[in-house]
Amino acid sequence: MNILLSLSIAILAGLLMTRLAKPLRLPSVTAYLVAGILVGPYCLGRLGIDGLGFTSYENVEQLSLISQVALGFIAFSIGNEFRLDELKHTGRQALIIGVFQAVCAAVLVDIALIAISLATHGKLTIAQAITLGAIATATAPAATLMVVRQYKAKGPLVDLLLPIVALDDAVGLVVFAVSFGIAKALGSGQFDMISILLDPLIEIVCSLALGTVLGWLLTQLEKLFNSNTNRLNMTIAFVLLTASLSMLKFQIGAVSIGFSSLLVCMMLGTVFCNLCPLSEDLMEKADRWTSPLFALFFVVSGSELELGVFRDGTVVLIGLVYIVVRSLGKYFGASVSSKMTHCSDKICRYLGITLLPQAGVALGMCITAKQLGAEGDLIRNITLFAVLVYELIGPMLTKQALTKAGDIQPMSDEVKNRRQIKLDALPENRRR
């Protein structure tokens, strides 16, 4: 009962917060995250009443399944943007920009944090610095996709943005594996080339292969049904199946075989949208089904943000450097590579701003960083601090960038008038 009560309060708090955020013209993502903080362990949860908010982080972790399912549907939705007829125009640009901006952010953060390490004589080690540099590559696809959906953004910038956000996961896996392998070697004095180079490449290849097979199988099974309702049910079941299978891990000798949930579900969506002629209709219906799931996902994400990191001055100082330098790396990396690939001026100017949000993938990297022992705790706290700032500010900046680029169009007077006429026709009690 307490879990159901917490879930209902979380969704209600998120929805009510969107009404308060609307006059401020804030994206719904930001409102959901703020609502999550309010019902989380640092605010409403402090009352200690089970079911009335989340009383501890253990309560929030009990809902980790919701986050995994939501991320699966988010990746599936992004995969549906990889249509071959559209990639012929943007595929090369997305690949170059996706790799360049991620590497640029990692290199700049490495340089800045290594300089701090040398200046502070060990308060931040070299191993911690290069690990944080690798984490800087990751961009949160969830926040970006939600802003695009909420404002029905369409245009050249969105067409390029979604593939780049998806590519960030693959690039981030490789950069993090190499950097973290070096970080562990600095501590132990032994370099393991298998874990540094081979494991991340195997994970990417296996993830894409599994997603491809499941995408083809989903398309074949869709042919067995004539009803779009049954096809939609089949699609939802397959996303859940894919998210669960991507959690499998194997060990063959010295080689670890695992999967990236985001990459597998993204590939499922890519294959599905290119093979199934009804994919657009089904995705439109699926968007309505997943709306409350995404709202709950962001409220839970807000509850997971640990405000206690503000107590440590070292974390705040290093976190601010990390945030500023990573932002510069993303912005200038995207701007330079956009010019290299002959993108329009608006894309060169605003693309980097839309790549700032950071959350799930970065936090997943933090879990791996725990292998460094006590050094991993500092990495986790700095990343948590950065995620807190990026998740609250990133969606607002993304909205502004898409608006200035012309991909978010203001509501026309004709649409406003039609809505007002319908509202005026309602009885007074229904208007409320």
Side-chain angles (χ1 to χ4, degrees):
M1 185 189 76
N2 289 338
I3 293 177
L4 290 176
L5 185 59
S6 296
L7 290 177
S8 62
I9 289 176
I11 295 177
L12 288 172
L15 292 173
L16 292 174
M17 188 58 65
T18 60
R19 305 312 301 168
L20 296 176
K22 190 172 183 180
L24 301 176
R25 298 183 179 180
L26 298 177
S28 294
V29 176
T30 303
Y32 291 140
L33 290 167
V34 172
I37 293 174
L38 294 178
V39 301
Y42 279 91
C43 294
L44 193 60
R46 280 193 174 276
L47 297 176
I49 303 174
D50 289 336
L52 187 64
F54 303 106
T55 56
S56 67
Y57 284 105
E58 287 73 20
N59 293 142
V60 181
E61 288 175 359
Q62 290 177 352
L63 304 177
S64 60
L65 181 62
I66 292 174
S67 297
Q68 292 169 351
V69 171
L71 284 173
F73 279 99
I74 288 166
F76 179 71
S77 298
I78 292 177
N80 270 269
E81 302 297 327
F82 283 84
R83 298 183 182 274
L84 292 179
D85 54 343
E86 297 175 4
L87 287 178
K88 291 177 182 177
H89 305 289
T90 62
R92 175 178 166 274
Q93 293 174 326
L95 177 62
I96 294 174
I97 297 171
V99 174
F100 191 89
Q101 56 83 25
V103 173
C104 185
V107 170
L108 289 183
V109 171
D110 279 343
I111 293 172
L113 296 186
I114 288 174
I116 290 178
S117 175
L118 297 175
T120 57
H121 304 290
K123 285 190 176 180
L124 180 73
T125 66
I126 302 293
Q128 289 171 324
I130 61 175
T131 302
L132 285 167
I135 293 174
T137 60
T139 298
T144 304
L145 181 65
M146 281 292 288
V147 173
V148 169
R149 281 187 175 179
Q150 180 184 351
Y151 296 101
K152 296 180 174 59
K154 292 182 181 179
L157 180 54
V158 170
D159 292 341
L160 197 57
L161 171 62
L162 294 179
I164 289 174
V165 169
L167 284 169
D168 252 7
D169 188 28
V171 177
L173 280 173
V174 175
V175 175
F176 180 79
V178 174
S179 298
F180 188 65
I182 295 172
K184 287 196 297 183
L186 290 174
S188 64
Q190 298 179 344
F191 283 85
D192 182 4
M193 296 305 296
I194 291 179
S195 61
I196 292 176
L197 296 177
L198 190 58
D199 283 352
L201 292 177
I202 290 176
E203 181 173 336
I204 291 172
V205 171
C206 290
S207 297
L208 297 179
L210 178 60
T212 300
V213 172
L214 291 174
W216 177 85
L217 184 59
L218 170 60
T219 304
Q220 301 309 309
L221 292 177
E222 296 280 15
K223 297 177 182 178
L224 300 177
F225 302 96
N226 295 321
S227 166
N228 272 351
T229 300
N230 288 332
R231 291 191 182 109
L232 175 61
N233 293 338
M234 176 65 70
T235 303
I236 292 172
F238 250 77
V239 176
L240 295 174
L241 174 65
T242 303
S244 62
L245 291 178
S246 64
M247 297 178 190
L248 295 174
K249 292 186 181 296
F250 305 95
Q251 189 75 29
I252 302 178
V255 179
S256 299
I257 298 178
F259 304 94
S260 165
S261 176
L262 287 175
L263 279 181
V264 178
C265 292
M266 182 194 73
M267 199 62 189
L268 174 75
T270 301
V271 174
F272 176 64
C273 76
N274 284 286
L275 294 184
C276 180
L278 299 173
S279 60
E280 288 193 37
D281 292 337
L282 293 174
M283 280 306 302
E284 184 178 348
K285 291 179 172 58
D287 289 346
R288 300 172 186 172
W289 183 87
T290 55
S291 179
L293 177 65
F294 289 172
L296 183 58
F297 166 72
F298 283 107
V299 175
V300 171
S301 297
S303 300
E304 290 176 329
L305 296 177
E306 193 168 336
L307 304 185
V309 296
F310 287 111
R311 298 171 186 160
D312 191 332
T314 302
V315 169
V316 173
L317 178 61
I318 298 174
L320 288 174
V321 174
Y322 172 89
I323 290 169
V324 171
V325 176
R326 176 184 176 271
S327 300
L328 292 174
K330 288 284 183 179
Y331 180 81
F332 287 110
S335 179
V336 171
S337 53
S338 296
K339 291 177 181 176
M340 288 167 48
T341 54
H342 308 292
C343 294
S344 66
D345 290 339
K346 288 184 177 180
I347 290 177
C348 296
R349 190 178 307 167
Y350 298 115
L351 176 60
I353 299 174
T354 64
L355 297 173
L356 296 184
Q358 188 175 46
V361 178
L363 295 176
M365 292 176 178
C366 288
I367 296 174
T368 305
K370 287 182 180 179
Q371 297 176 24
L372 294 176
E375 291 185 353
D377 293 335
L378 180 61
I379 293 171
R380 176 180 177 274
N381 288 337
I382 292 171
T383 306
L384 283 171
F385 173 75
V387 166
L388 175 64
V389 175
Y390 276 128
E391 283 295 89
L392 294 176
I393 298 176
M396 292 185 286
L397 295 177
T398 299
K399 177 202 169 186
Q400 292 176 2
L402 291 174
T403 301
K404 291 182 178 180
D407 285 31
I408 293 179
Q409 296 292 335
M411 190 183 298
S412 66
D413 292 336
E414 181 182 352
V415 174
K416 289 181 181 178
N417 291 335
R418 279 206 307 266
R419 289 192 175 184
Q420 189 60 46
I421 291 172
K422 289 182 180 180
L423 184 62
D424 292 340
L426 289 175
E428 184 66 26
N429 60 336
R430 289 188 64 190
R431 285 188 221 174
R432 295 175 184 171

